Amino acid sequence: MLTQCRWAVGLLISLWLCPVWAAPCSTDGLVWQRLTDQAYWLSGEVGDADAANRGRVSALMAVQVPSEGRVWLLGSGPSPKMGQALACSLAQQTGWQVSDIVNPWARPELVLGNRAWPRAALWAHQAVAEAMHQQCAHCEERLKVRMGAAAQDLGADSVVTVPGEQGMAGGLVSGDHGELGPWVWWRLQRTPQQPVLVWRLKRAALWSAPGLLWADGPPDLRDADLRTLQASLKHLSALVRHDGNALTWLPEQGSAQGPALLAQSADYLDTLARTIRARQAGGGLETDAPARWPGLPSGWAEHPRHALNWQRAWRQIEEE
């Protein structure tokens, strides 16, 4: 009888501890990459959001803090439905349940999944939250167009859940530098009005630079200001100098990279600006084919972002 009681109690405890997503659920084929015992990363699909990738084009990072019993997620995905698949896949592969979500910048592909975690605390920089209030509704409409048939993942309710709202767990940080959960962060900019936060894991030289670095091709100047982005990459270079060759970049899209990615990206923007100025001084036209130059990384000249960057930078430099 005593043995049976012990067995029954053990069963109840195991069921109580069983993760919420232990029941069958859709993982959408998502595979998290182990970085350390307490850090996993999911790289962003390359290219723009579309029906095939369901908008999952921005990388996410999950970090466990065992001493606090918390799991932090950097970014929440492009939709509530994808957020549910992210939660399911993370729980099945690690046993973790997300307790805290951070919105690193006001990109719909990184924040519209907030509603998938109604019990999680939501965090953001105050300036990021303000940008979300101003931009996310419009950005969501653009995302729906790009996602096509997969736009239904966003649901009928288009209200964006923004950190810091009354009665919501979590909160806002402010200033140019600080700590939040397992990270140290710095505030940089894509435009004077568009803040982005850079994140370094406290216990490892793992740097996440959403909105600043891409590994599948050149940086993305869409909705960005060339001079501001150049200044941010220069600032970022000063921040990481103490980590040297030990650091790993976790970019917006593409695979994890070594230290050279930052210098490569900064050199691209600097050369892009110089080449355009020279072309304009020589009487060139915006409609001329985008230039390629010695040292341009393989494949970057043919990448769709290079042509778009050329057009956007041309107009900004022309306005100067």
Side-chain angles (χ1 to χ4, degrees):
M1 183 68 178
L2 181 59
T3 301
Q4 291 177 335
C5 289
R6 288 174 176 171
W7 178 86
V9 170
L11 177 61
L12 288 173
I13 292 175
S14 66
L15 290 173
W16 179 71
L17 292 175
C18 187
V20 173
W21 292 107
C25 60
S26 172
T27 64
D28 206 32
L30 303 171
V31 179
W32 293 78
Q33 175 185 344
R34 180 182 176 276
L35 301 173
T36 71
D37 288 343
Q38 279 85 45
Y40 280 75
W41 184 62
L42 190 66
S43 61
E45 297 281 351
V46 299
D48 285 339
D50 56 28
N53 58 42
R54 311 192 79 85
R56 202 189 61 73
V57 293
S58 290
L60 304 173
M61 186 180 185
V63 182
Q64 182 190 46
V65 184
S67 61
E68 300 176 1
R70 300 168 80 174
V71 174
W72 292 75
L73 187 63
L74 192 59
S76 64
S79 68
K81 186 171 181 179
M82 179 57 70
Q84 291 170 0
L86 292 166
C88 175
S89 61
L90 183 64
Q92 288 190 0
Q93 294 169 42
T94 67
W96 296 353
Q97 301 295 319
V98 173
S99 61
D100 298 83
I101 293 175
V102 180
N103 292 163
W105 67 298
R107 190 183 197 205
E109 291 89 340
L110 270 173
V111 304
L112 293 183
N114 285 351
R115 283 179 285 157
W117 284 274
R119 297 182 181 179
L122 284 180
W123 303 86
H125 192 282
Q126 183 175 357
V128 170
E130 292 172 358
M132 289 174 65
H133 277 296
Q134 296 169 6
Q135 302 169 16
C136 277
H138 172 65
C139 291
E140 182 178 0
E141 290 305 313
R142 291 198 302 174
L143 180 60
K144 285 181 177 179
V145 173
R146 292 197 298 268
M147 287 176 63
Q152 60 186 352
D153 292 357
L154 290 162
D157 181 8
S158 61
V159 177
V160 180
T161 304
V162 180
E165 294 178 341
Q166 188 174 4
M168 183 181 299
L172 303 176
V173 298
S174 60
D176 294 326
H177 171 56
E179 297 184 8
L180 181 61
W183 294 286
V184 181
W185 60 265
W186 291 263
R187 174 185 171 179
L188 298 179
Q189 306 282 141
R190 278 177 55 81
T191 73
Q193 297 79 32
Q194 179 65 281
V196 293
L197 266 63
V198 174
W199 308 82
R200 185 198 188 278
L201 202 61
K202 291 177 183 178
R203 53 179 175 263
L206 296 171
W207 288 77
S208 178
L212 297 177
L213 294 179
W214 280 256
D216 65 318
D220 193 345
L221 274 173
R222 236 175 335 189
D223 301 320
D225 176 74
L226 174 61
R227 283 185 177 274
T228 303
L229 202 56
Q230 286 178 291
S232 288
L233 293 189
K234 184 177 181 180
H235 188 178
L236 186 56
S237 180
L239 294 177
V240 303
R241 66 182 184 275
H242 296 300
D243 282 334
N245 292 328
L247 75 85
T248 296
W249 288 112
L250 305 174
E252 184 85 27
Q253 291 179 311
S255 60
Q257 297 288 313
L261 178 62
L262 175 57
Q264 191 178 53
S265 301
D267 181 69
Y268 168 82
L269 293 179
D270 293 345
T271 307
L272 178 70
R274 288 197 304 270
T275 304
I276 288 176
R277 289 190 175 96
R279 182 78 67 87
Q280 290 178 350
L285 300 175
E286 180 186 349
T287 53
D288 294 342
R292 60 179 70 205
W293 50 82
L296 187 63
S298 176
W300 283 25
E302 296 77 27
H303 198 285
R305 282 202 298 269
H306 178 57
L308 294 173
N309 290 346
W310 180 269
Q311 294 173 0
R312 184 165 181 81
W314 183 285
R315 294 166 188 169
Q316 290 182 0
I317 291 172
E318 194 170 48
E319 290 172 358
E320 295 176 1

